[in-house]
Amino acid sequence: MIWNDFWGFGGYARPAEGYMSWQHLTFVTLLVVLMTLLAVLLGRRNRHQSPEKKNRVLAVSAILIDSIEIAKIVVLSIRYNDAAYFIHVLPLFLCSIQLVAIPIAAFSKGRLKEAALDFVMIFGLLGALMGTYFAGNNYTAYPVLSMDNVFSGVTHCISGFCSLYIMLSGMASMEKRNIPFTAAILGGFSVAAYIANIFTDANYMFLTRGDGTPYDIVYNWVSGHPVLYPLIVVGLFVVYIIAYYQMYYLITRRMHNSAKQSKGVAA
């Protein structure tokens, strides 16, 4: 029974509960709450620890997220009897870029590490929310407690955890000099995704269609225009980066000013 009910071999024995069903919302909320609690606990605990100790949490997260994703690809390859199935699940979605970015943030050094840490912090939480609450492409197709949704939910929440952990532990630099690197990472993956979409039936970065995600709003707005739609999607990514940096600087500036005022009153 579990062979069909969880792993999906031979097709799932029960229908999908549906996108935004109570089962979907309950499951992803539990994941997001657990993700947040762990990030707050470990982030606050390690905030004043050495860089090496802070980095251990990221290293474990990097190994865990890639191990789960590899296991998922292996299972899907067996399920569909397709050794080349990995072509359909390359890390070319906005969320799955973290499969590359988190290991770089954990195991590299110098400027590359700084840029990767900033990238994970900026996009990790967004990817977690998009891949859980707004993953209409998954929850309309598979039961909530299935390998497809459980593995996907866990990997997306690892990305969100890393984003919050980097923020709370003080690992991010968010220096303006890293903005071009953040944009270059996103731009490079977007180009690769667009090219991959041309030669496969995939929909990487959702640059071809919305597939039940909020990108459907843009897709319907431009009537699925093959040029305007992907340009607007990438443009929204850029707007998000700029808005995130602006909000970050605004909040940190206010916190800094508040701290100075508090010291002045105490003096």
Side-chain angles (χ1 to χ4, degrees):
M1 183 68 70
I2 194 172
W3 197 249
N4 296 81
D5 283 353
F6 184 78
W7 298 105
F9 290 102
Y12 285 110
R14 65 189 189 282
E17 293 85 353
Y19 178 52
M20 291 296 173
S21 64
W22 71 265
Q23 295 94 333
H24 166 212
L25 294 177
T26 301
F27 174 65
V28 298
T29 298
L30 289 172
L31 285 179
V32 170
V33 168
L34 180 60
M35 166 195 90
T36 304
L37 289 176
L38 284 174
V40 171
L41 175 65
L42 294 175
R44 289 172 63 88
R45 189 187 72 179
N46 290 343
R47 185 167 183 83
H48 301 294
Q49 299 295 330
S50 65
E52 292 76 16
K53 188 165 185 178
K54 290 181 182 181
N55 200 66
R56 288 174 194 162
V57 175
L58 274 188
V60 172
S61 299
I63 294 170
L64 188 59
I65 191 172
D66 281 1
S67 297
I68 294 173
E69 189 65 18
I70 291 171
K72 177 182 175 181
I73 293 171
V74 170
V75 171
L76 291 175
S77 298
I78 297 171
R79 182 203 290 177
Y80 297 117
N81 193 27
D82 183 2
Y85 189 81
F86 69 91
I87 294 174
H88 304 281
V89 286
L90 295 172
L92 293 175
F93 287 103
L94 180 61
C95 308
S96 55
I97 295 176
Q98 303 296 347
L99 297 168
V100 178
I102 294 174
I104 292 175
F107 299 113
S108 65
K109 295 182 179 179
R111 185 79 172 275
L112 180 61
K113 185 180 185 71
E114 283 186 11
L117 285 168
D118 291 353
F119 185 91
V120 173
M121 189 177 84
I122 292 169
F123 284 105
L125 187 57
L126 175 66
L129 296 177
M130 292 291 289
T132 52
Y133 286 104
F134 300 105
N137 53 322
N138 276 357
Y139 289 94
T140 55
Y142 312 113
V144 171
L145 295 181
S146 63
M147 186 275 296
D148 298 79
N149 284 328
V150 172
F151 279 32
S152 177
V154 171
T155 53
H156 281 89
C157 283
I158 291 175
S159 297
F161 163 81
C162 289
S163 174
L164 291 172
Y165 175 77
I166 290 169
M167 182 189 305
L168 295 171
S169 65
M171 293 185 75
S173 64
M174 290 298 285
E175 294 185 9
K176 292 182 179 179
R177 65 174 187 167
N178 289 332
I179 295 177
F181 283 86
T182 301
I185 292 172
L186 181 63
F189 274 93
S190 296
V191 171
Y194 188 79
I195 294 172
N197 289 343
I198 294 173
F199 294 101
T200 69
D201 60 350
N203 184 24
Y204 293 121
M205 298 286 279
F206 297 102
L207 294 179
T208 302
R209 55 192 179 276
D211 273 355
T213 68
Y215 295 117
D216 272 334
I217 298 172
V218 178
Y219 186 84
N220 294 330
W221 180 45
V222 297
S223 301
H225 195 283
V227 176
L228 280 179
Y229 171 70
L231 285 177
I232 293 174
V233 170
V234 174
L236 289 173
F237 295 153
V238 174
V239 169
Y240 174 76
I241 292 174
I242 295 171
Y244 194 102
Y245 269 95
Q246 291 298 325
M247 187 63 67
Y248 178 86
Y249 291 138
L250 178 64
I251 293 173
T252 53
R253 191 181 303 118
R254 286 187 176 180
M255 291 175 62
H256 179 69
N257 291 337
S258 297
K260 286 177 64 178
Q261 290 176 1
S262 299
K263 288 182 179 179
V265 171

